Amino acid sequence: RGGRMNALREKKEDEQRVEEKLKGLEVSDDLQDVETKVPVEQDCVPKHSIDVSQLPSSYKTNSPKEKQLLHIADDFLQQYIHLCPDRKPLFLHPVNECGVEKFVSTTVRPTLLPYTELYNWDGCASFISDYLVMEPLECPITLPSSLYSPTTTLKHQRGNCFDFSVLLCSMLIGAGYDAYCVQGYATLETCTLDETQELCPLLKKSPEVPKEEVKKKYRIKPLPDMQSKFELQQEAKKAAAIEAAQKDKERDKKEVGKPNREPLHGLRLHAWVLVLSGKREVPETFFINPFTGNRHNTTDKHFLGIESVWNHRNYWVNMQDCRHGCKDLTFDLGDAICWEIMLSESNPLQLLPEEEEELFDSDTVSNLNGSCAEREKRMSFDMPPSWVAPIWIPPREFETRYYQGKKVTLYNKAKLEKWAPYLNGNGLVQRLTIYTEPDCTDVVEVREWFENREDILVRREVNKQTQLTTDYFSKGHFLCLKAHTYTSLEPKTGHTMEFYNEARADGLQKRVETASEMTEYFVGRDDFLYLRHVDFAKQGEETQGIDMNSQPIVQIKECFHRNPEKPADEDVAECIFLITEEDIHLTYHLKDKYITASKKLFHKLPEKDSKGHKVFMTPETCITYQAGSFEKGKSLFHLYNLLKELKAKEKRVKEQVRQSEAEVLTILKIRQTEEADIKLSVSIYNRERNEERRRQREAMESTMKDELLGQKEQDLDYLAPFLIRSGCRDKLNQEQALCVRDDCLTDFKHHLTYKVNLIQARLEKAVEELQKSHLWFQENKKQLSTKEKDDYLSSCSESMFHIDILEQRLNR
């Protein structure tokens, strides 16, 4: 306790010094150095511009229970000030937007909104940080005089750290988290939302999990180290000195331009959210900065101390020493020594050892006796329900997300821009610009994210140094594109295309094309092909047997994986077609325990020579090397058949290469068309944005309404056919009315006669069938089995029932 009192006295002395300094620096340059530019819009809504006429009555008045709670809070605050005079006042009952005092716990309104993203803490924190605009506190070391309701904060989309925290805490509690608002102290960068010294979250790399080395039972004994240990120590000292000098230079470079240590360090007020472990399977307690939506450990150096925490049920005062920040704090709110609770069933306010004697002086005994009744009332009091109206965010506002649809955040050597969906015509929703220096002048790379595009483009990376652009597509593109790297969408300028090989019949995974070559990579093919490399000649070179309308092919190389169903010396590993040299090279897979592979070299011969004679294959046209075998190779007939198959395969492969070239041209043409006319897709379930669907639905509803109305009129007007037949529908004279009546009665009689004749015919047919069935049974009764007799009786019963129904209808 003595250490805590000393810390409190030191903090109070610092505050007094700072206040005296601030009074003397009203508009001086020193005060301008203290305050830092805050990256928020300046068109803030004034506090007095809020229209309170439409607010519920709970905003403007206090219920009896709320008045009692305010009385208890005042009593608690008086005891706190008496026992801890060196500490700052607590944030207990500021006024709301209507100027009415409200206890902070009743301002928290637990709410679960019907959006999947807001079911988890990270979604809630990200939405609040994006949706609201930060307003700094009027005085960085003084508590705000007001705390607006979460509904007003959402309506105006702006607020200070306390407004942010109350709204975020309401949503987290509604989502099932054990969350609390925190009143405490933080660094200048945290309080002013200055992230220019922080690394952008999109650039942070996830930590790599080290692979566990497999311990071997037997190892080779290492050779003895013959180096001089003294020389190694000297070299290590030199290296350490050089490294220390480099670190000093780097530190000096980083510190250039940085502001000096600001005098309000440790005194700047800030509010954030505390999430305790336990509920929603949270493994450990952590902080959430509502300005950024980022998660921080409770030992984070940006959070310098805590005065109090509260939720919708209670209020706790921190009684622990915050001299070293929050890293030594315990967050067991049930510990009465570390946390003083306001509404409790037990554990009165803990006393400081130095003040126990003062408390029991003659002047203070009467005050203590007078407050016993108030403390007993406070211990048995329940928190009244929240006075805040239900929190609601319309779907369009939730989709827009950002204030005026856009948000810009500056990081260290990076700028992050965010837009609402459908705000940009090209579907751009996020852009990250990376710079070489902190002054953000020289751009290195630009990364863009897209949504709702019909070409399913989701991300684009542009390297400003190499001028390379990489487009990434989601699954579902009709070209099966996964990624496309290029400098220009013109042909033969260098393209790398990646595909979703599962959606392609040929298993193509990647294609790399330049002006002189093309390489294709395959996955999961039945023929075990995994690579095809094609070399092209220049357009003007002379080649034999080449279509001069397309780029000439010089060489085609194909590589295959091992086929376990074939012997190694019969399983081709590499096949090279030398088009211009009229040769074919075959290399087979290595056999076990061999270092060389079998090879074959074929030289293609024309079918006929210059004189028209047929050319026959000779052993000189095929050079064969059989690894590990001194026996005679395959027969000439077998080699001839193999060469014939290879020539047919070469023709097929050349056709596939031409198809690949044509596919590249098609993809480039389609991509040019898509980029020239970008279209955004709208889900059929988005009723507000899908105008075409809305018009179709309205036209269908109108048509159905007209048809239903006409059908009702037609159903109610029984004389409509007769009126149409007579040619008079508006007004009838006596003669016409009698004529219509006679026609209607005649038609009704005809209808009854038709029904009687129909029923009589069906009755006669049923009686006739029953008689025939009875006659058949009498003739074959002795030959029938028991089952057949039962079937006959069942059919007779059904026939009699049918005849009875027909007779009743006929007698009506």
Side-chain angles (χ1 to χ4, degrees):
R1 300 281 182 149
R4 183 170 62 192
M5 287 298 299
N6 293 333
L8 292 173
R9 292 193 183 97
E10 292 176 1
K11 182 178 288 187
K12 185 174 181 181
E13 292 174 359
D14 293 339
E15 292 176 4
Q16 293 175 353
R17 288 196 300 269
V18 171
E19 290 177 358
E20 293 175 358
K21 184 177 181 180
L22 288 177
K23 290 179 181 178
L25 300 177
E26 294 178 353
V27 198
S28 64
D29 296 336
D30 296 336
L31 184 58
Q32 294 176 3
D33 295 337
V34 171
E35 298 299 330
T36 307
K37 288 185 178 180
V38 181
V40 298
E41 292 81 348
Q42 298 300 323
D43 57 341
C44 298
V45 177
K47 297 290 184 181
H48 55 78
S49 65
I50 297 177
D51 183 14
V52 299
S53 60
Q54 302 298 327
L55 296 177
S57 59
S58 60
Y59 285 58
K60 305 173 184 179
T61 59
N62 282 321
S63 65
K65 200 168 185 179
E66 286 180 314
K67 293 179 181 178
Q68 186 179 2
L69 176 62
L70 293 176
H71 182 68
I72 294 174
D74 288 334
D75 177 67
F76 180 82
L77 182 60
Q78 291 177 5
Q79 296 181 54
Y80 172 78
I81 294 174
H82 176 75
L83 296 176
C84 306
D86 296 328
R87 294 183 61 172
K88 281 196 172 183
L90 299 176
F91 194 60
L92 286 174
H93 44 71
V95 298
N96 64 359
E97 53 267 43
C98 298
V100 179
E101 287 189 356
K102 296 288 185 178
F103 190 67
V104 289
S105 294
T106 60
T107 308
V108 179
R109 175 65 184 259
T111 303
L112 178 62
L113 295 171
Y115 302 110
T116 307
E117 182 182 351
L118 303 183
Y119 290 172
N120 298 315
W121 73 265
D122 50 350
C124 294
S126 176
F127 175 78
I128 295 300
S129 63
D130 292 338
Y131 190 73
L132 303 181
V133 177
M134 188 273 284
E135 291 181 350
L137 296 174
E138 295 180 1
C139 180
I141 61 174
T142 305
L143 289 171
S145 59
S146 61
L147 178 64
Y148 288 177
S149 64
T151 55
T152 301
T153 303
L154 283 173
K155 180 179 179 181
H156 295 282
Q157 288 188 249
R158 56 182 67 252
N160 56 37
C161 55
F162 289 89
D163 300 323
F164 273 67
S165 300
V166 169
L167 177 57
L168 178 57
C169 187
S170 300
M171 297 173 65
L172 291 178
I173 295 175
Y177 289 94
D178 191 11
Y180 302 83
C181 298
V182 180
Q183 171 202 347
Y185 307 93
T187 59
L188 171 65
E189 294 77 16
T190 303
C191 296
T192 58
L193 191 55
D194 182 10
E195 299 183 90
T196 55
Q197 302 299 325
E198 300 292 331
L199 182 64
C200 179
L202 297 176
L203 298 177
K204 293 180 180 179
K205 298 180 180 179
S206 57
E208 298 181 357
V209 180
K211 297 181 179 179
E212 297 183 357
E213 296 182 0
V214 180
K215 295 183 179 180
K216 298 181 180 180
K217 186 176 181 182
Y218 301 101
R219 304 184 201 175
I220 299 175
K221 188 176 181 180
L223 296 174
D225 188 8
M226 304 302 292
Q227 293 181 341
S228 172
K229 293 183 179 180
F230 176 75
E231 292 179 356
L232 292 176
Q233 291 177 356
Q234 295 299 320
E235 292 177 0
K237 289 181 180 179
K238 292 181 181 179
I242 295 173
E243 185 178 358
Q246 291 179 351
K247 287 183 178 179
D248 293 339
K249 290 181 180 180
E250 292 178 358
R251 187 173 60 254
D252 294 339
K253 288 182 180 180
K254 290 182 179 180
E255 290 179 354
V256 172
K258 278 189 176 182
N260 297 328
R261 180 180 176 87
E262 53 116 8
L264 298 183
H265 182 77
L267 302 177
R268 289 184 176 271
L269 287 170
H270 189 55
W272 63 93
V273 175
L274 166 69
V275 179
L276 297 183
S277 59
K279 289 186 178 180
R280 289 294 302 270
E281 300 180 357
V282 176
E284 60 180 359
T285 302
F286 62 92
F287 294 150
I288 300 177
N289 185 2
F291 284 165
T292 62
N294 296 334
R295 168 178 175 164
H296 301 269
N297 295 327
T298 55
T299 58
D300 195 300
K301 63 181 181 179
H302 292 88
F303 301 95
L304 306 177
I306 293 177
E307 289 286 355
S308 61
V309 301
W310 70 88
N311 63 359
H312 64 300
R313 298 183 184 277
N314 220 319
Y315 192 96
W316 292 264
V317 179
N318 179 31
M319 306 301 293
Q320 303 171 75
D321 185 9
C322 297
R323 184 184 305 175
H324 303 292
C326 301
K327 62 180 181 179
D328 297 329
L329 299 184
T330 61
F331 293 94
D332 181 10
L333 300 183
D335 188 350
I337 298 177
C338 299
W339 297 91
E340 178 63 33
I341 191 170
M342 179 175 150
L343 302 178
S344 175
E345 297 179 356
S346 60
N347 297 330
L349 191 67
Q350 298 295 319
L351 305 180
L352 299 176
E354 294 82 359
E355 297 180 348
E356 288 183 355
E357 297 179 0
E358 298 178 4
L359 182 63
F360 288 99
D361 289 345
S362 58
D363 297 335
T364 58
V365 168
S366 59
N367 295 333
L368 180 63
N369 294 333
S371 62
C372 288
E374 296 293 339
R375 186 181 299 111
E376 292 177 358
K377 182 188 296 185
R378 174 168 59 87
M379 292 179 181
S380 60
F381 186 81
D382 293 331
M383 186 71 65
S386 177
W387 54 273
V388 179
I391 299 175
W392 172 246
I393 302 174
R396 177 59 70 90
E397 292 294 326
F398 181 77
E399 184 187 77
T400 304
R401 193 179 185 96
Y402 310 107
Y403 180 74
Q404 297 181 349
K406 182 180 179 181
K407 179 181 179 182
V408 181
T409 307
L410 296 179
Y411 295 97
N412 185 21
K413 301 181 182 179
K415 180 175 70 172
L416 181 62
E417 302 169 90
K418 296 180 181 180
W419 291 271
Y422 299 102
L423 185 65
N424 295 319
N426 60 352
L428 180 65
V429 296
Q430 189 170 259
R431 178 192 291 145
L432 175 64
T433 307
I434 305 173
Y435 302 91
T436 55
E437 298 296 336
D439 56 359
C440 298
T441 55
D442 189 10
V443 180
V444 178
E445 184 181 358
V446 177
R447 302 178 186 177
E448 297 177 332
W449 286 261
F450 302 87
E451 287 183 2
N452 306 311
R453 287 181 57 137
E454 288 192 354
D455 57 4
I456 321 184
L457 178 68
V458 293
R459 185 159 57 97
R460 173 175 291 160
E461 296 180 359
V462 181
N463 192 318
K464 295 297 183 178
Q465 295 178 340
T466 61
Q467 300 301 320
L468 279 177
T469 302
T470 304
D471 294 342
Y472 296 90
F473 302 84
S474 62
K475 291 183 178 180
H477 198 282
F478 72 99
L479 298 174
C480 304
L481 265 179
K482 183 178 182 181
H484 180 201
T485 302
Y486 57 92
T487 55
S488 171
L489 290 177
E490 296 297 326
K492 304 300 180 182
T493 55
H495 299 273
T496 300
M497 300 179 182
E498 297 183 24
F499 301 88
Y500 290 100
N501 58 282
E502 305 90 352
R504 292 183 62 103
D506 57 356
L508 180 63
Q509 185 183 41
K510 185 179 180 181
R511 179 187 288 131
V512 181
E513 186 198 40
T514 62
S516 60
E517 61 184 15
M518 181 175 64
T519 306
E520 296 179 320
Y521 301 87
F522 301 89
V523 174
R525 288 177 62 108
D526 295 335
D527 58 358
F528 297 94
L529 175 67
Y530 70 90
L531 184 141
R532 179 185 290 145
H533 181 79
V534 185
D535 290 329
F536 299 99
K538 293 183 179 180
Q539 191 69 32
E541 292 184 0
E542 296 183 0
T543 52
Q544 299 179 358
I546 300 297
D547 184 9
M548 299 305 295
N549 294 326
S550 60
Q551 195 173 12
I553 300 176
V554 177
Q555 174 182 312
I556 302 175
K557 182 176 72 172
E558 291 186 333
C559 299
F560 302 85
H561 287 299
R562 180 75 173 88
N563 185 358
E565 297 181 357
K566 291 183 179 181
D569 53 359
E570 296 181 5
D571 187 15
V572 178
E574 182 180 273
C575 179
I576 302 176
F577 299 100
L578 301 176
I579 309 299
T580 57
E581 300 176 8
E582 298 289 331
D583 288 342
I584 301 176
H585 292 189
L586 293 181
T587 303
Y588 295 87
H589 283 279
L590 284 172
K591 295 192 292 186
D592 293 339
K593 301 180 181 180
Y594 280 79
I595 60 173
T596 57
S598 301
K599 296 184 179 181
K600 287 185 175 66
L601 170 61
F602 292 93
H603 182 70
K604 295 184 293 182
L605 296 176
E607 295 183 358
K608 295 182 179 181
D609 57 9
S610 58
K611 296 181 179 181
H613 300 295
K614 191 173 182 179
V615 179
F616 295 94
M617 183 176 180
T618 60
E620 288 76 13
T621 58
C622 177
I623 302 174
T624 304
Y625 167 70
Q626 192 72 22
S629 176
F630 299 99
E631 299 179 0
K632 192 175 181 180
K634 300 290 184 180
S635 64
L636 195 61
F637 178 74
H638 175 78
L639 296 177
Y640 173 76
N641 290 334
L642 181 58
L643 177 59
K644 190 175 179 181
E645 293 176 1
L646 290 174
K647 291 172 69 176
K649 182 179 179 181
E650 179 183 339
K651 185 177 180 180
R652 292 195 305 270
V653 172
K654 289 172 66 177
E655 292 178 357
Q656 293 173 1
V657 171
R658 296 305 179 193
Q659 291 176 1
S660 298
E661 289 184 289
E663 184 182 14
V664 170
L665 295 177
T666 302
I667 292 175
L668 295 179
K669 185 176 180 181
I670 292 175
R671 289 293 300 128
Q672 289 176 356
T673 304
E674 291 174 343
E675 289 298 326
D677 185 17
I678 299 174
K679 296 181 180 180
L680 301 183
S681 61
V682 181
S683 173
I684 60 174
Y685 302 105
N686 192 336
R687 301 177 62 181
E688 296 183 0
R689 294 191 179 276
N690 200 329
E691 297 295 333
E692 182 180 357
R693 180 67 177 173
R694 183 179 60 82
R695 288 193 296 267
Q696 292 178 357
R697 186 182 68 256
E698 291 177 354
M700 186 182 301
E701 290 177 355
S702 177
T703 304
M704 292 179 62
K705 186 177 180 180
D706 294 341
E707 291 179 355
L708 184 61
L709 184 60
Q711 185 67 28
K712 288 181 177 180
E713 293 178 354
Q714 186 175 0
D715 292 342
L716 295 175
D717 193 0
Y718 300 104
L719 296 178
F722 305 100
L723 294 173
I724 294 173
R725 190 185 305 171
S726 65
C728 300
R729 298 192 60 183
D730 298 334
K731 294 182 179 181
L732 300 176
N733 53 31
Q734 183 178 6
E735 183 180 356
Q736 291 174 340
L738 292 174
C739 182
V740 170
R741 185 198 65 176
D742 294 339
D743 291 343
C744 184
L745 292 175
T746 303
D747 184 76
F748 183 65
K749 291 177 181 178
H750 290 324
H751 181 67
L752 291 179
T753 304
Y754 171 76
K755 288 180 66 177
V756 169
N757 294 334
L758 182 62
I759 295 173
Q760 183 66 35
R762 291 178 178 175
L763 178 61
E764 292 176 355
K765 184 178 179 181
V767 172
E768 184 181 356
E769 290 179 354
L770 180 61
Q771 290 176 354
K772 288 181 180 180
S773 177
H774 182 68
L775 188 62
W776 173 84
F777 178 74
Q778 293 296 332
E779 293 177 356
N780 303 291
K781 161 169 74 170
K782 298 180 180 180
Q783 301 175 2
L784 297 177
S785 62
T786 306
K787 182 179 179 182
E788 291 175 339
K789 291 180 180 180
D790 294 340
D791 293 341
Y792 166 75
L793 294 176
S794 177
S795 63
C796 286
S797 177
E798 292 180 2
S799 299
M800 291 299 296
F801 176 75
H802 189 204
I803 291 171
D804 186 40
I805 294 298
L806 292 175
E807 288 178 348
Q808 291 181 12
R809 295 183 63 186
L810 190 61
N811 294 331
R812 287 179 180 178

